[in-house]
Amino acid sequence: MGSVIQILVIVLQCWGSSADIRWEHSVLVGEDVTLRCLFDSHTKLVEKSALTFEWNVVDKHARKSIVYTFDGRVHENTDGYVVDELGLLGNNASLQLHNVTLRDEGLYTCRIITPVVHIETTSLEVLAQPSVSLPEKAAMTEGEEKSLQCDIAGFYPKELAVKWLIQRGSSLAFADVRNHSRVCTQTPIQNQNGTYSTRSTITLHSFKVEDGGVRIICQVDHRSYKRTYSTSVTLAVHAPSQLPYSAATLVVVTSVLSLLLVTSVSAGSLLLFRHFCKAPPNVSQIGQASIIHAQVTTDLTCTIQGATEQELQVKWFKLMTSADSVVPSESADFLLVSEDVSESATLHSDGEHHTTVLTVCLTVFDDLRKYRCVVMWRGESIIRETTVKVKEKPSFLQISSIPQIPKVEKLLVLCCRVENFYPQDITLEWSRNDGEQVYTVTNFGPFSGQNRLYSVWSKIQLVMAREDERAVYTCRVYHSSFPDRGYEDVLYHINTQGSPPSVMFIECEPLCPLLNEECSLYLCITDFCPEDVSVIWTKDGEKLLSGIFNTPPSLNMNGLYSMFSFLKLTPNLDDQGSEFTCRVVHSAQKEPEERHFTLPHFDLTNGHRACSYSA
Ligand SMILES: *[C@@H]1O[C@H](CO)[C@@H](O)[C@H](O)[C@H]1NC(C)=O
Ligand SMILES: *[C@@H]1O[C@H](CO)[C@@H](O)[C@H](O)[C@H]1NC(C)=O
Ligand SMILES: *[C@@H]1O[C@H](CO)[C@@H](O)[C@H](O)[C@H]1NC(C)=O
Ligand SMILES: *[C@@H]1O[C@H](CO)[C@@H](O)[C@H](O)[C@H]1NC(C)=O
Ligand SMILES: CC(=O)N[C@H]1CO[C@H](CO)[C@@H](O)[C@@H]1O
């Protein structure tokens, strides 16, 4: 058998004067492509009947299939592959593929016996260009945090790099922690159609109100692009309003506190540092945050003592199981594969004390993934391993009631909705007036939804007694994603009267409107119930009918509604000094509330800017 193969090979080599031509070709999904096969161009016009050839393809999974055979006539022809038979007479057996899909990727071989053997091979790479989207508009309040998402969908191959840039006037720089921003990019997730999608989030904080605005740029590098692709959004930074909420302040305070804590811990460890003789270095277990939230960058840390930096080499690995590969693999019992992720790690050294930090950004799909830190020292490997547990806080946590305004002696249904959390384990407890437990509870779920997240609803129903009129019902949600106490309370205040809205002041975006350029006036209306509210805009006493947009009232965690009302306008010179009024009418008010805004005069010498504010 062996000798037969050998002879065949020799024969092929003797005949195949032009054998083994190799090409490489990249094509985008949906395009057409022609794979070249031009045989024996010295002799013209072969007899079609004297011609035998085949086209075969070896795909990504090393499966070979024959897509076209011909010996005087077509024998086999898989749909979608075309060879122009007239072209054959011109020594052209090129294969045409229409509307290429990811499945078409592979190594294509054309093998012709005329009787001279001719082999021509094309490696076809199929690329899918991502669609990249950023929000159209973005605004944030000075002193608060703002996250922007860049969604990148439908690309192939998986490798893709996302970078964020921040542009202020003419200065342009990559976003980094020194510029008050954090970036978190997901590992790409495979879609059903074989392409990948990912999301990158930039979180901005401590931004200051500035003239001219800030542009936030999401930059994507992918094999399917000829050059780097960029898309951007303008960020408007507003001065803080008098809103009572200060969640952002809380976040800032906690991060400052944790920073202090980290600093003092590492200062403490420095004191422990000593010189010792050359025993293998001490390598700590891998340290990690007590709770790792999905989509938030987090550090895995390992400290090494008792070796110089030159003697050490540190590598980090992410361990993957076959479960990570969405493409069904023939060898399903695949061994653990490790991916070297040392690129995302840093090593800080202080004498013989070293800290290696791997920064990761995980999704719930990474839950229970193992990470390994390998310290190499004088030919020895010291290995530490950890398993990460990824949590996602519920994105929605509210009590809704039916009816919206409870009535004495009538049925009242309260539904506590906790949506999009991970992992599945969750406990809900109802209580009345801080203590009395409510036992007749119906739970729905947890049911699983998109992206591996879970949701649960919990319902109680009661006939409202007169003494219930000022009662507070609490739905306490216990979930491992909540730090510290391990639970969060959602409150429902029974209120048979309804709550009138708090009406803020009218604000303008941009802060200084420009002549003949669109701007928006907006009003924030908060904490009202029931949700019906009427908002009327007037200009110099005349009711306005167009340019008004009201956001649908959204339910807050306190059971009350909030909304924004916008008025879009393009001011011209006649509009200077006009008075805009917004009137808010709600059933729980004693009388309607009005807010006024006077359009300032344009300063024609200063870029037609109108600014009544002294910046
Ligand atoms: C060979 O045929 C293909 C179409 O089947 C055509 O696109 C190509 O130009 C031809 N090549 C030559 C050299 O004639
Ligand atoms: C290309 O193929 C896709 C999916 O196979 C199909 O939806 C689309 O209509 C095709 N386009 C053309 C131009 O044939
Ligand atoms: C594949 O699916 C993704 C998301 O489901 C979509 O964005 C993309 O356009 C699809 N691509 C193709 C080639 O069908
Ligand atoms: C490693 O730790 C052990 C126990 O804490 C200690 O006795 C030893 O001296 C340490 N070695 C080095 C090189 O720091
Ligand atoms: C946009 C911006 O402020 N970029 C700055 C980010 O930080 C680096 C280093 O401190 C500066 O060089 C950039 O100008």
Side-chain angles (χ1 to χ4, degrees):
M1 192 61 199
S3 62
V4 174
I5 290 172
Q6 230 169 18
I7 290 165
L8 262 178
V9 171
I10 292 165
V11 169
L12 286 181
Q13 280 173 349
C14 297
W15 279 351
S17 50
S18 63
D20 254 325
I21 304 171
R22 284 176 167 269
W23 305 96
E24 276 176 18
H25 220 312
S26 293
V27 63
L28 289 177
V29 166
E31 288 188 340
D32 298 341
V33 65
T34 301
L35 307 182
R36 207 191 94 132
C37 183
L38 301 176
F39 53 92
D40 192 12
S41 45
H42 312 296
T43 52
K44 284 256 162 67
L45 288 177
V46 285
E47 277 288 329
K48 244 168 75 174
S49 56
L51 195 66
T52 304
F53 75 90
E54 80 170 33
W55 269 102
N56 66 53
V57 55
V58 178
D59 71 10
K60 284 181 280 217
H61 308 291
R63 278 184 294 249
K64 181 173 175 174
S65 50
I66 292 173
V67 295
Y68 200 98
T69 51
F70 183 93
D71 66 6
R73 62 190 179 86
V74 183
H75 263 290
E76 193 172 331
N77 185 6
T78 309
D79 272 355
Y81 298 96
V82 177
V83 174
D84 181 1
E85 285 188 48
L86 278 176
L88 290 175
L89 297 175
N91 299 354
N92 182 350
S94 300
L95 182 71
Q96 299 167 39
L97 273 72
H98 295 292
N99 196 4
V100 167
T101 69
L102 291 181
R103 281 190 302 275
D104 292 323
E105 194 165 69
L107 186 68
Y108 287 78
T109 304
C110 155
R111 202 166 158 270
I112 293 194
I113 304 172
T114 62
V116 177
V117 175
H118 171 88
I119 295 172
E120 203 161 330
T121 306
T122 303
S123 155
L124 183 69
E125 182 190 31
V126 181
L127 307 170
Q129 215 165 52
S131 62
V132 181
S133 58
L134 268 184
E136 267 167 31
K137 274 196 159 180
M140 74 185 285
T141 306
E142 188 176 298
E144 292 185 358
E145 275 203 335
K146 170 80 186 177
S147 291
L148 291 173
Q149 278 155 356
C150 187
D151 281 313
I152 304 155
F155 55 90
Y156 187 90
K158 186 179 177 182
E159 290 67 36
L160 178 129
V162 187
K163 287 196 184 112
W164 290 85
L165 293 106
I166 300 173
Q167 182 176 24
R168 287 193 175 84
S170 59
S171 105
L172 182 68
F174 284 110
D176 75 11
V177 275
R178 288 165 303 182
N179 298 94
H180 312 292
S181 54
R182 292 192 305 271
V183 170
C184 181
T185 304
Q186 280 184 10
T187 331
I189 295 171
Q190 197 165 32
N191 301 316
Q192 299 240 294
N193 61 17
T195 62
Y196 290 87
S197 295
T198 186
R199 164 178 282 182
S200 183
T201 306
I202 185 168
T203 306
L204 309 164
H205 59 93
S206 315
F207 267 45
K208 295 234 162 25
V209 173
E210 242 176 281
D211 260 12
V214 183
R215 279 196 94 67
I216 308 293
I217 301 164
C218 172
Q219 199 179 69
V220 179
D221 265 311
H222 187 253
R223 184 126 172 67
S224 63
Y225 290 128
K226 287 211 177 64
R227 62 177 75 86
T228 305
Y229 178 89
S230 296
T231 176
S232 70
V233 59
T234 306
L235 178 74
V237 185
H238 304 302
S241 63
Q242 301 82 341
L243 285 180
Y245 322 119
S246 59
T249 329
L250 200 65
V251 169
V252 170
V253 169
T254 8
S255 23
V256 167
L257 279 182
S258 42
L259 198 68
L260 283 178
L261 197 66
V262 168
T263 331
S264 55
V265 166
S266 38
S269 349
L270 276 183
L271 290 178
L272 290 176
F273 161 70
R274 290 274 188 287
H275 274 286
F276 280 105
C277 61
K278 283 303 167 195
N282 277 351
V283 180
S284 72
Q285 292 302 325
I286 298 175
Q288 50 171 279
S290 55
I291 299 182
I292 297 178
H293 286 115
Q295 318 283 354
V296 176
T297 44
T298 187
D299 290 341
L300 303 180
T301 311
C302 206
T303 57
I304 306 157
Q305 282 188 62
T308 63
E309 194 178 351
Q310 292 73 32
E311 303 177 290
L312 281 180
Q313 206 196 347
V314 181
K315 287 216 163 279
W316 283 89
F317 294 95
K318 171 163 106 179
L319 304 190
M320 326 254 261
T321 53
S322 54
D324 287 324
S325 143
V326 185
V327 180
S329 152
E330 281 150 64
S331 39
D333 54 341
F334 223 61
L335 285 167
L336 228 53
V337 179
S338 58
E339 184 186 336
D340 187 341
V341 289
S342 313
E343 247 183 24
S344 318
T346 53
L347 184 71
H348 310 281
S349 295
D350 190 334
E352 299 213 334
H353 180 98
H354 316 274
T355 310
T356 171
V357 178
L358 177 72
T359 304
V360 289
C361 171
L362 305 170
T363 70
V364 295
F365 293 93
D366 293 310
D367 190 32
L368 301 181
R369 186 185 287 296
K370 286 190 163 60
Y371 279 89
R372 190 176 274 174
C373 172
V374 179
V375 176
M376 280 165 282
W377 174 83
R378 300 189 178 175
E380 253 181 78
S381 292
I382 304 153
I383 298 174
R384 295 289 179 263
E385 201 173 278
T386 191
T387 304
V388 292
K389 291 189 181 150
V390 182
K391 320 272 183 198
E392 177 104 45
K393 270 195 205 177
S395 64
F396 186 92
L397 202 58
Q398 273 171 4
I399 294 180
S400 31
S401 72
I402 300 171
Q404 227 167 45
I405 300 284
K407 292 196 182 67
V408 176
E409 284 168 6
K410 290 274 158 50
L411 186 71
L412 173 63
V413 178
L414 299 182
C415 182
C416 179
R417 293 166 57 189
V418 185
E419 298 180 4
N420 300 325
F421 55 86
Y422 184 90
Q424 183 175 8
D425 300 318
I426 197 158
T427 308
L428 274 64
E429 261 172 26
W430 283 91
S431 63
R432 180 178 178 276
N433 288 347
D434 240 4
E436 295 163 53
Q437 200 162 348
V438 178
Y439 292 103
T440 45
V441 179
T442 320
N443 284 332
F444 303 91
F447 36 88
S448 62
Q450 270 193 325
N451 293 331
R452 223 177 172 178
L453 302 179
Y454 294 91
S455 295
V456 66
W457 291 15
S458 177
K459 195 181 84 171
I460 58 170
Q461 61 188 55
L462 51 134
V463 174
M464 216 191 83
R466 196 157 292 280
E467 61 268 27
D468 271 336
E469 251 186 87
R470 290 259 168 274
V472 180
Y473 280 84
T474 306
C475 170
R476 179 165 290 183
V477 182
Y478 293 88
H479 189 252
S480 55
S481 65
F482 296 133
D484 312 329
R485 307 180 294 181
Y487 65 80
E488 223 152 89
D489 283 339
V490 195
L491 303 183
Y492 183 86
H493 294 262
I494 291 193
N495 172 359
T496 53
Q497 310 300 313
S499 296
S502 314
V503 183
M504 304 291 157
F505 294 96
I506 296 178
E507 307 219 23
C508 182
E509 190 199 311
L511 223 47
C512 302
L514 281 171
L515 184 60
N516 296 329
E517 279 194 26
E518 190 179 81
C519 66
S520 305
L521 300 184
Y522 67 91
L523 182 62
C524 177
I525 305 163
T526 61
D527 292 343
F528 54 91
C529 186
E531 66 180 307
D532 305 297
V533 64
S534 130
V535 183
I536 299 144
W537 287 87
T538 54
K539 176 185 166 196
D540 296 330
E542 251 175 70
K543 187 169 173 187
L544 292 171
L545 296 173
S546 64
I548 298 166
F549 172 72
N550 294 327
T551 61
S554 67
L555 189 59
N556 308 329
M557 251 172 87
N558 59 9
L560 302 174
Y561 290 85
S562 295
M563 67 173 283
F564 280 96
S565 181
F566 291 90
L567 172 66
K568 271 203 173 134
L569 62 140
T570 307
N572 55 36
L573 281 176
D574 294 341
D575 293 326
Q576 317 190 77
S578 295
E579 188 179 63
F580 290 86
T581 302
C582 186
R583 185 181 169 87
V584 179
V585 186
H586 185 267
S587 61
Q589 282 168 331
K590 289 211 180 68
E591 53 193 41
E593 288 208 58
E594 279 188 355
R595 294 287 180 267
H596 307 282
F597 179 88
T598 307
L599 195 69
H601 283 264
F602 294 105
D603 179 353
L604 298 179
T605 57
N606 177 19
H608 297 177
R609 201 173 279 279
C611 216
S612 56
Y613 311 89
S614 45

